Amino acid sequence: MRNKLDETRKTGRRTRTSHAQVVDELGKAIVAGTYPVGSILPGDTELAQRFKVSRTVLRETMKTLAAKGMVVAKARVGTRVTEKNLWNMFDSEIIAWHFDNGVTEEFLLQLYDIRLAVEPFAAGLVAERANAEDIEILRGLALEMAASGHTADSLALADLHFHLALAEASHNPFMRTLGSLIEAALVGMFRMSTPPSENGFANIADTHMRIVDAIVSGDSAAARRAMELVILDGRHHVHEAFAARGSETVRVPIST
């Protein structure tokens, strides 16, 4: 898993198919409000000329955006941008488009709301279900956070590895689907904040090791509490970062 994550971040949004490129451009434009809710997207002829792609690519693009809940096609009307409450906000691309466009404090704090609703419970499940291999992996990842010389990016990645491994150790496949939300919240927090040595992230290994210790003890309640404290601490850093910047929106690209 860790090698796969590292490779993902090395490659990022490198060479993509025409379909993926058009999905990315239109998705970002919809999130940015270039095509606001309720508006009709340009017709196939205009889009084909703009992106220099075939009608087949455009049809596949619209199917992809429709699957994300962002558009709906109607005969003799066109393709309309749907209400935001219909968008699949668990979709990793939709989350990335929000970050590309500039996220508000409210958006990031909403990500932390979802984490608070799910991850403490996941930690409790791990305390009940983890095997020796799960515990060894989690302990190693917590220790990795204590390594010297971390940058904000490398510490965010180490933190992400831990939380995704914990979701895996819950042995509940639904928990694993939250990876994109966890990544967005963590990378957003670290990218917005000052270097770890200056903003209180120095204790991050200790707070995560408390989760591991509770799991080793088989104490579900303690594991839930320890995870809750970690997430609340991250939520606090987000609030502090926005207050320090004095800005309502911040561009925090996460596809790196």
Side-chain angles (χ1 to χ4, degrees), residues 140-155:
L141 291 173
L143 289 172
E144 185 178 321
M145 296 181 203
S148 60
H150 271 305
T151 63
D153 279 357
S154 67
L155 188 56

PDB file of all heavy atoms in Angstrom, residues 140-155:
ATOM      1  N   GLY A 140       4.889   0.959  13.270  1.00  0.00           N
ATOM      2  CA  GLY A 140       5.972   1.445  12.420  1.00  0.00           C
ATOM      3  C   GLY A 140       5.646   2.793  11.779  1.00  0.00           C
ATOM      4  O   GLY A 140       6.510   3.671  11.686  1.00  0.00           O
ATOM      5  N   LEU A 141       4.401   2.973  11.368  1.00  0.00           N
ATOM      6  CA  LEU A 141       4.007   4.233  10.743  1.00  0.00           C
ATOM      7  C   LEU A 141       3.953   5.371  11.756  1.00  0.00           C
ATOM      8  O   LEU A 141       4.284   6.515  11.433  1.00  0.00           O
ATOM      9  CB  LEU A 141       2.644   4.062  10.063  1.00  0.00           C
ATOM     10  CG  LEU A 141       2.645   3.149   8.830  1.00  0.00           C
ATOM     11  CD1 LEU A 141       1.220   2.906   8.345  1.00  0.00           C
ATOM     12  CD2 LEU A 141       3.492   3.730   7.719  1.00  0.00           C
ATOM     13  N   ALA A 142       3.547   5.069  12.986  1.00  0.00           N
ATOM     14  CA  ALA A 142       3.564   6.098  14.029  1.00  0.00           C
ATOM     15  C   ALA A 142       4.998   6.515  14.341  1.00  0.00           C
ATOM     16  O   ALA A 142       5.286   7.711  14.519  1.00  0.00           O
ATOM     17  CB  ALA A 142       2.872   5.580  15.294  1.00  0.00           C
ATOM     18  N   LEU A 143       5.903   5.542  14.388  1.00  0.00           N
ATOM     19  CA  LEU A 143       7.310   5.860  14.636  1.00  0.00           C
ATOM     20  C   LEU A 143       7.914   6.660  13.489  1.00  0.00           C
ATOM     21  O   LEU A 143       8.779   7.519  13.697  1.00  0.00           O
ATOM     22  CB  LEU A 143       8.110   4.566  14.849  1.00  0.00           C
ATOM     23  CG  LEU A 143       7.845   3.821  16.161  1.00  0.00           C
ATOM     24  CD1 LEU A 143       8.546   2.463  16.148  1.00  0.00           C
ATOM     25  CD2 LEU A 143       8.307   4.663  17.346  1.00  0.00           C
ATOM     26  N   GLU A 144       7.439   6.391  12.274  1.00  0.00           N
ATOM     27  CA  GLU A 144       7.943   7.112  11.107  1.00  0.00           C
ATOM     28  C   GLU A 144       7.670   8.609  11.225  1.00  0.00           C
ATOM     29  O   GLU A 144       8.438   9.437  10.744  1.00  0.00           O
ATOM     30  CB  GLU A 144       7.286   6.552   9.848  1.00  0.00           C
ATOM     31  CG  GLU A 144       7.811   7.126   8.539  1.00  0.00           C
ATOM     32  CD  GLU A 144       7.146   6.490   7.340  1.00  0.00           C
ATOM     33  OE1 GLU A 144       6.898   5.268   7.365  1.00  0.00           O
ATOM     34  OE2 GLU A 144       6.858   7.220   6.371  1.00  0.00           O
ATOM     35  N   MET A 145       6.581   8.975  11.876  1.00  0.00           N
ATOM     36  CA  MET A 145       6.261  10.391  12.054  1.00  0.00           C
ATOM     37  C   MET A 145       7.269  11.092  12.958  1.00  0.00           C
ATOM     38  O   MET A 145       7.408  12.315  12.897  1.00  0.00           O
ATOM     39  CB  MET A 145       4.853  10.547  12.647  1.00  0.00           C
ATOM     40  CG  MET A 145       3.745  10.054  11.749  1.00  0.00           C
ATOM     41  SD  MET A 145       2.130  10.308  12.520  1.00  0.00           S
ATOM     42  CE  MET A 145       1.169   9.080  11.660  1.00  0.00           C
ATOM     43  N   ALA A 146       7.950  10.303  13.792  1.00  0.00           N
ATOM     44  CA  ALA A 146       8.918  10.890  14.721  1.00  0.00           C
ATOM     45  C   ALA A 146      10.294  11.074  14.092  1.00  0.00           C
ATOM     46  O   ALA A 146      11.194  11.638  14.720  1.00  0.00           O
ATOM     47  CB  ALA A 146       9.033  10.015  15.962  1.00  0.00           C
ATOM     48  N   ALA A 147      10.465  10.613  12.849  1.00  0.00           N
ATOM     49  CA  ALA A 147      11.768  10.737  12.190  1.00  0.00           C
ATOM     50  C   ALA A 147      12.150  12.200  12.028  1.00  0.00           C
ATOM     51  O   ALA A 147      11.288  13.067  11.844  1.00  0.00           O
ATOM     52  CB  ALA A 147      11.730  10.046  10.830  1.00  0.00           C
ATOM     53  N   SER A 148      13.432  12.473  12.113  1.00  0.00           N
ATOM     54  CA  SER A 148      13.904  13.856  11.986  1.00  0.00           C
ATOM     55  C   SER A 148      13.919  14.290  10.527  1.00  0.00           C
ATOM     56  O   SER A 148      13.964  13.452   9.619  1.00  0.00           O
ATOM     57  CB  SER A 148      15.309  13.989  12.576  1.00  0.00           C
ATOM     58  OG  SER A 148      16.210  13.143  11.889  1.00  0.00           O
ATOM     59  N   GLY A 149      13.878  15.599  10.322  1.00  0.00           N
ATOM     60  CA  GLY A 149      14.015  16.140   8.971  1.00  0.00           C
ATOM     61  C   GLY A 149      12.750  16.162   8.145  1.00  0.00           C
ATOM     62  O   GLY A 149      12.802  16.397   6.940  1.00  0.00           O
ATOM     63  N   HIS A 150      11.595  15.932   8.772  1.00  0.00           N
ATOM     64  CA  HIS A 150      10.346  15.974   8.014  1.00  0.00           C
ATOM     65  C   HIS A 150      10.062  17.388   7.502  1.00  0.00           C
ATOM     66  O   HIS A 150      10.292  18.381   8.192  1.00  0.00           O
ATOM     67  CB  HIS A 150       9.173  15.541   8.887  1.00  0.00           C
ATOM     68  CG  HIS A 150       8.906  14.082   8.873  1.00  0.00           C
ATOM     69  ND1 HIS A 150       8.678  13.374   7.709  1.00  0.00           N
ATOM     70  CD2 HIS A 150       8.817  13.176   9.883  1.00  0.00           C
ATOM     71  CE1 HIS A 150       8.453  12.099   8.001  1.00  0.00           C
ATOM     72  NE2 HIS A 150       8.541  11.957   9.312  1.00  0.00           N
ATOM     73  N   THR A 151       9.557  17.463   6.287  1.00  0.00           N
ATOM     74  CA  THR A 151       8.958  18.692   5.783  1.00  0.00           C
ATOM     75  C   THR A 151       7.453  18.582   6.005  1.00  0.00           C
ATOM     76  O   THR A 151       6.945  17.527   6.413  1.00  0.00           O
ATOM     77  CB  THR A 151       9.221  18.865   4.280  1.00  0.00           C
ATOM     78  OG1 THR A 151       8.582  17.783   3.578  1.00  0.00           O
ATOM     79  CG2 THR A 151      10.715  18.858   3.984  1.00  0.00           C
ATOM     80  N   ALA A 152       6.731  19.672   5.748  1.00  0.00           N
ATOM     81  CA  ALA A 152       5.271  19.604   5.876  1.00  0.00           C
ATOM     82  C   ALA A 152       4.705  18.536   4.950  1.00  0.00           C
ATOM     83  O   ALA A 152       3.798  17.790   5.332  1.00  0.00           O
ATOM     84  CB  ALA A 152       4.653  20.962   5.560  1.00  0.00           C
ATOM     85  N   ASP A 153       5.243  18.424   3.729  1.00  0.00           N
ATOM     86  CA  ASP A 153       4.749  17.436   2.777  1.00  0.00           C
ATOM     87  C   ASP A 153       5.026  16.015   3.244  1.00  0.00           C
ATOM     88  O   ASP A 153       4.155  15.146   3.195  1.00  0.00           O
ATOM     89  CB  ASP A 153       5.396  17.653   1.404  1.00  0.00           C
ATOM     90  CG  ASP A 153       4.720  18.770   0.627  1.00  0.00           C
ATOM     91  OD1 ASP A 153       3.727  19.317   1.123  1.00  0.00           O
ATOM     92  OD2 ASP A 153       5.200  19.099  -0.469  1.00  0.00           O
ATOM     93  N   SER A 154       6.262  15.753   3.677  1.00  0.00           N
ATOM     94  CA  SER A 154       6.623  14.382   4.063  1.00  0.00           C
ATOM     95  C   SER A 154       5.887  13.961   5.331  1.00  0.00           C
ATOM     96  O   SER A 154       5.518  12.793   5.483  1.00  0.00           O
ATOM     97  CB  SER A 154       8.135  14.252   4.253  1.00  0.00           C
ATOM     98  OG  SER A 154       8.587  15.012   5.360  1.00  0.00           O
ATOM     99  N   LEU A 155       5.659  14.901   6.239  1.00  0.00           N
ATOM    100  CA  LEU A 155       4.911  14.568   7.453  1.00  0.00           C
ATOM    101  C   LEU A 155       3.447  14.311   7.124  1.00  0.00           C
ATOM    102  O   LEU A 155       2.813  13.416   7.698  1.00  0.00           O
ATOM    103  CB  LEU A 155       5.043  15.700   8.473  1.00  0.00           C
ATOM    104  CG  LEU A 155       4.475  15.404   9.876  1.00  0.00           C
ATOM    105  CD1 LEU A 155       5.098  14.147  10.464  1.00  0.00           C
ATOM    106  CD2 LEU A 155       4.703  16.591  10.796  1.00  0.00           C
TER     107      LEU A 155
END
